[in-house]
Amino acid sequence: MKASRVIIVRGRGVLSPRREVDQKKLLQMYERGFRALTGQPDLREGFRSFFHDRDRLGLKINTIAGRELTSVPDVTLGLAKLLAGKGSLKKNIIIWDRTNRELRASGYSLNLRQGIQVFGTDTEGVGYDPTLVSHLNIGSRLSSIQAQHITASISFAILKDHGLAGVTAGMKNYFGAIHNPNKYHDFNCNPFVAELFDTQPIKNKHKLSILDCMVVQYHRGPSFHSRWAEHYNALLFSFDPVAADVAGWQIIEKLRAKKGLPSLREEDREPEYLFTAAKMGLGTAEVREIQTIEEEV
Amino acid sequence: MNRRQFFKTTGGVTLLSCSGMTSMLMDLYAFGGKANLSQVEARYYKELPEREIECLLCPRFCKLGDKERGYCGVRENIGGKYYTLVYGKVCAINVDPIEKKPFFHFLPKTNALSIATAGCNVNCKFCQNWEISQVRPEQVEHRDFPPKMVVEYARRYTCPSIAYTYTEPAVFFEYMYDTSEEARKKQVRNTVVTGGHINPEPLRDLTEVVDAIKIDLKAFSEQFYADYVRGELQPVLEAIKIVAKSGIWLEIVYLVIPSLNDSVKEIRRTCRWLLEEIGPEVPVHFSRFHPMYLVKNLPPTPVSTLERAHRVALEEGLHYVYIGNVPGHKAESTFCPKCKRVVIKRVGYHIQNVELDGGKCRFCNHPIPGIWS
Ligand code: SF4
């Protein structure tokens, strides 16, 4: 079933230890991932199954942890260019996050003019939408980028261990789309991650999750600690936001087990919010119900 | 946020008629501009391994990795050290009647230079100032207003006191503390308007440099605190006891919200606790709720509900019980508990008459507790 399928594409050596990107291999990884995800050999057709011609697409990245644990700009731009070129989107793509400072610190060049745009919510004239989104336990202002500028969204998140949430990935990435994420870290971020995702401006625009697993922080996240960061060189794709994060969580558990670390359950910080999200009908949290396809390029 | 919105949010618009106020605001704008955040080391935290820290300022005890901020959004771990980002970064400033805080037994008929930075360590669903309390400092217009300048402005605008208010002053502790010390040197008093979510050690330290604290007791149930405040009741009760014991002036506000915290049982329990732990002389204000922020589905508190709470508190033996946010109500005034005559007649924030002599009722000589001069 399309909704609960997760594609993991690994590309050995795609990112060098000096964070240089093998562009050819990266492109192959994206192409392989999208083909497997959509079931369409023709990328253009595949993209049409989830974007409309007139969509304005947001790639919500996560630059909070700084250069070492952020999507390398070439990795993000590689995706944006593929979507712009093979997709019907032309150049209606915004790569964005909370602040221009964090984007710059992660190596991104801001671009507010033509082409693929790159800017933060704190850009003069952008900011947070004045409407207070009030839904279940959530009361937040959304970035105007999410609320107004875009019509479709990819959560292009970094997969990380998270001291409070257990795991941060595609769903929690939208914490960076609100003005007050600091208010939602109680109780292992449960139910807040799920409830935020369930708000109309997020749920209705979200098209798919792509997890950047090039470098996975499997312990002591979400800050960068080289000791517990693995060069995993993978991209993970899913239309199901919950299944994507559950599959990401399994990667983290695998890496933790390999290093002899206790599981997140043993540390009492399993990402419960994923089960809450499943109960809310946002996707599948049961591992046995998720079809994971692993590919290697 | 433009200049008009900035002052509107904090109620400043109503104060532009105060003499000299306009020029004061102009001055602030002249030196202000778009200030950056501060990076002043926080005072109550401990360093942990792997560049992590634990904040010890409030009962949340946030544990944070590098580059992370606490729940209040105004403190950040930078490379394993903890910093306040709002030291001297004021997002609201006004000259307010002290009665607006409300302090009813503290220098009546005077003004307080009232300041706030962004941020709060709880998230009350009925917050009146959420646009400045529930945001990060970079999301609101703010001005550089260092401690010495605060004191200078208080004196210039004949405010015998400074009020740390509007948001949650505990989260700008270092700034409040240093400003209070400066103020003391110049014989300016300090008052704090807080939800009481602050740990005993910093609170005790604070009571050394301020003169009065008003604590918002938002309900008398842990469930209410969990559901509507995102905090805990117990630390607030501890804070009330610490302030009372410290000897500085204390007043309590209880915002009465229809159906959520307005039962006779809950009001009675609150009053009994105050009576037993603090005594009958602590002023208690039952304030009227208006639909706000995330609680818009309830009506404003009926005046009869506030009158019921007022009656219960008097029955329980509290001496100074007020009704707030109902301008013109007779329970805005202070009555002598002995002869029952009005000793301070208030209408809204306006004081019509004071019948006190040396802190005593002019009619029967009964001492009325407070700081009167
Ligand atoms: S003051 Fe702020 S950072 Fe410190 S414990 Fe409280 S909420 Fe957390």
Side-chain angles (χ1 to χ4, degrees):
Chain A
M1 207 176 87
K2 177 179 151 186
S4 297
R5 186 193 291 173
V6 173
I7 317 297
I8 300 171
V9 185
R10 298 197 69 175
R12 217 173 290 273
V14 65
L15 187 69
S16 78
R18 292 176 57 202
R19 296 179 70 73
E20 285 148 352
V21 177
D22 177 338
Q23 296 284 358
K24 205 171 141 207
K25 187 167 268 193
L26 179 72
L27 184 63
Q28 286 171 346
M29 288 171 73
Y30 280 129
E31 289 181 349
R32 188 77 69 88
F34 279 118
R35 286 196 177 103
L37 183 73
T38 62
Q40 283 281 355
D42 180 56
L43 285 176
R44 200 176 293 270
E45 280 306 308
F47 290 155
R48 283 220 176 98
S49 67
F50 56 97
F51 295 121
H52 299 294
D53 287 358
R54 292 211 201 97
D55 267 332
R56 191 162 173 75
L57 174 71
L59 293 185
K60 168 66 183 74
I61 59 172
N62 181 343
T63 51
I64 194 170
R67 195 176 280 264
E68 297 98 333
L69 201 52
T70 291
S71 281
V72 174
D74 281 345
V75 173
T76 312
L77 284 167
L79 172 62
K81 282 178 189 160
L82 178 69
L83 291 166
K86 290 272 168 51
S88 50
L89 292 162
K90 308 256 171 15
K91 286 181 176 165
N92 280 333
I93 295 176
I94 304 172
I95 295 168
W96 70 283
D97 200 6
R98 303 185 313 171
T99 70
N100 288 330
R101 180 178 57 82
E102 286 168 336
L103 283 164
R104 276 199 217 96
S106 298
Y108 289 83
S109 304
L110 303 183
N111 176 25
L112 282 142
R113 292 160 188 267
Q114 73 272 46
I116 293 163
Q117 294 182 307
V118 183
F119 58 90
T121 298
D122 68 340
T123 301
E124 185 102 38
V126 179
Y128 291 90
D129 190 78
T131 312
L132 183 72
V133 175
S134 174
H135 178 62
L136 302 169
N137 289 290
I138 300 294
S140 296
R141 280 179 170 161
L142 279 146
S143 164
S144 297
I145 303 173
Q146 181 71 31
Q148 298 168 15
H149 292 228
I150 61 164
T151 58
S153 169
I154 292 179
S155 181
F156 190 33
I158 301 285
L159 176 62
K160 291 185 273 192
D161 168 87
H162 192 286
L164 297 172
V167 169
T168 174
M171 292 182 79
K172 191 171 174 296
N173 191 23
Y174 286 112
F175 269 28
I178 52 173
H179 85 289
N180 57 351
N182 45 307
K183 299 292 173 180
Y184 302 124
H185 284 83
D186 286 346
F187 320 116
N188 300 92
C189 304
N190 183 30
F192 308 113
V193 175
E195 291 184 353
L196 175 65
F197 190 90
D198 196 48
T199 59
Q200 297 293 319
I202 293 180
K203 188 170 68 177
N204 290 356
K205 292 181 183 179
H206 178 85
K207 299 296 173 195
L208 76 144
S209 298
I210 304 180
L211 306 190
D212 177 335
C213 314
M214 297 292 177
V215 177
V216 176
Q217 187 72 51
Y218 56 87
H219 186 51
R220 286 278 189 182
S223 339
F224 177 67
H225 297 274
S226 57
R227 201 172 140 200
W228 295 296
E230 173 98 351
H231 271 252
Y232 198 72
N233 287 318
L235 291 167
L236 186 154
F237 304 74
S238 185
F239 288 122
D240 179 331
V242 185
D245 290 5
V246 168
W249 168 23
Q250 301 315 304
I251 293 174
I252 285 181
E253 293 288 17
K254 215 162 63 185
L255 293 172
R256 293 177 66 86
K258 198 170 100 185
K259 305 286 171 171
L261 291 164
S263 68
L264 295 183
R265 173 172 290 173
E266 284 164 332
E267 288 199 347
D268 204 19
R269 53 188 186 93
E270 251 186 339
E272 276 292 329
Y273 66 82
L274 293 172
F275 298 104
T276 302
K279 278 192 204 122
M280 290 171 73
L282 299 173
T284 307
E286 287 302 330
V287 176
R288 64 176 179 277
E289 290 170 17
I290 299 169
Q291 183 195 6
T292 305
I293 298 165
E294 295 207 32
E295 305 236 351
E296 175 102 38
V297 297
Chain B
M1 189 182 276
N2 61 32
R3 183 186 151 160
R4 183 183 294 255
Q5 288 165 327
F6 175 61
F7 287 103
K8 196 166 165 235
T9 303
T10 64
V13 166
T14 56
L15 291 161
L16 290 170
S17 58
C18 290
S19 89
M21 201 56 204
T22 307
S23 62
M24 173 183 172
L25 300 179
M26 295 308 284
D27 279 5
L28 273 173
Y29 269 84
F31 75 69
K34 274 212 166 174
N36 291 321
L37 304 185
S38 69
Q39 195 174 321
V40 171
E41 190 167 2
R43 300 210 179 132
Y44 301 90
Y45 77 98
K46 70 175 178 220
E47 291 177 26
L48 301 172
E50 304 294 339
R51 299 187 317 242
E52 290 184 354
I53 66 94
E54 180 176 12
C55 179
L56 306 175
L57 181 54
C58 94
R60 288 194 173 273
F61 294 102
C62 294
K63 275 205 185 96
L64 304 161
D66 191 13
K67 298 191 175 78
E68 287 188 309
R69 282 200 200 172
Y71 183 92
C72 53
V74 301
R75 298 171 171 267
E76 186 168 318
N77 176 348
I78 303 173
K81 293 227 178 287
Y82 208 39
Y83 295 94
T84 163
L85 308 176
V86 290
Y87 190 100
K89 306 295 179 184
V90 163
C91 70
I93 172 164
N94 280 302
V95 172
D96 282 344
I98 193 76
E99 285 76 17
K100 194 177 171 184
K101 302 298 115 192
F103 280 110
F104 277 13
H105 291 228
F106 186 89
L107 306 180
K109 239 177 161 169
T110 65
N111 284 328
L113 183 74
S114 305
I115 57 173
T117 76
C120 183
N121 54 359
V122 292
N123 187 3
C124 299
K125 289 189 172 170
F126 42 85
C127 184
Q128 294 175 30
N129 289 331
W130 70 271
E131 284 140 312
I132 52 173
S133 68
Q134 299 303 324
V135 298
R136 293 172 164 230
E138 55 271 59
Q139 292 164 356
V140 284
E141 192 87 18
H142 55 261
R143 304 287 157 187
D144 275 319
F145 205 26
K148 280 201 170 119
M149 197 175 273
V150 179
V151 179
E152 189 194 313
Y153 271 87
R155 286 165 59 90
R156 193 190 300 178
Y157 293 95
T158 47
C159 298
S161 66
I162 296 164
Y164 308 96
T165 180
Y166 304 131
T167 57
E168 174 47 64
V171 308
F172 58 89
F173 184 94
E174 295 80 1
Y175 175 51
M176 168 169 60
Y177 188 96
D178 291 358
T179 306
S180 299
E181 277 196 320
E182 282 300 326
R184 283 223 158 154
K185 287 184 206 158
K186 305 280 182 188
Q187 286 74 51
V188 175
R189 301 252 187 50
N190 298 288
T191 67
V192 183
V193 175
T194 173
H197 273 89
I198 177 167
N199 283 336
E201 190 195 340
L203 180 58
R204 282 196 191 96
D205 291 348
L206 186 66
T207 60
E208 298 291 320
V209 293
V210 303
D211 302 279
I213 297 187
K214 186 215 89 178
I215 295 185
D216 282 312
L217 180 57
K218 293 168 199 283
F220 208 70
S221 98
E222 287 291 359
Q223 198 56 51
F224 180 95
Y225 266 85
D227 294 345
Y228 290 92
V229 179
R230 295 251 172 259
E232 292 172 76
L233 170 64
Q234 201 50 45
V236 179
L237 299 181
E238 284 307 311
I240 291 173
K241 287 199 271 185
I242 289 169
V243 174
K245 213 168 150 195
S246 75
I248 67 166
W249 187 247
L250 169 69
E251 301 198 17
I252 303 290
V253 168
Y254 187 109
L255 183 75
V256 182
I257 307 176
S259 76
L260 299 184
N261 65 356
D262 64 342
S263 72
V264 168
K265 199 170 150 204
E266 188 164 358
I267 300 286
R268 205 174 283 287
R269 282 179 60 222
T270 309
C271 296
R272 281 189 186 160
W273 184 88
L274 285 168
L275 204 64
E276 277 165 28
E277 297 290 342
I278 315 298
E281 311 241 283
V282 59
V284 177
H285 306 249
F286 291 107
S287 289
R288 190 180 201 192
F289 156 86
H290 289 278
M292 199 66 77
Y293 188 34
L294 302 171
V295 184
K296 290 206 173 131
N297 58 335
L298 295 175
T301 318
V303 174
S304 59
T305 305
L306 296 162
E307 287 171 339
R308 190 177 65 197
H310 180 262
R311 203 168 47 240
V312 168
L314 290 175
E315 274 168 24
E316 287 300 322
L318 292 171
H319 290 174
Y320 304 99
V321 186
Y322 301 100
I323 287 179
N325 295 344
V326 186
H329 197 284
K330 96 175 198 285
E332 285 183 315
S333 294
T334 303
F335 290 78
C336 170
K338 190 169 168 214
C339 71
K340 313 292 180 205
R341 306 269 296 265
V342 175
V343 286
I344 304 177
K345 170 113 179 99
R346 298 182 187 84
V347 177
Y349 304 135
H350 182 65
I351 302 232
Q352 288 192 333
N353 203 15
V354 179
E355 299 288 359
L356 288 176
D357 194 357
K360 290 180 178 167
C361 168
R362 210 191 291 279
F363 307 109
C364 72
N365 224 22
H366 183 78
I368 308 294
I371 294 176
W372 304 113
S373 58

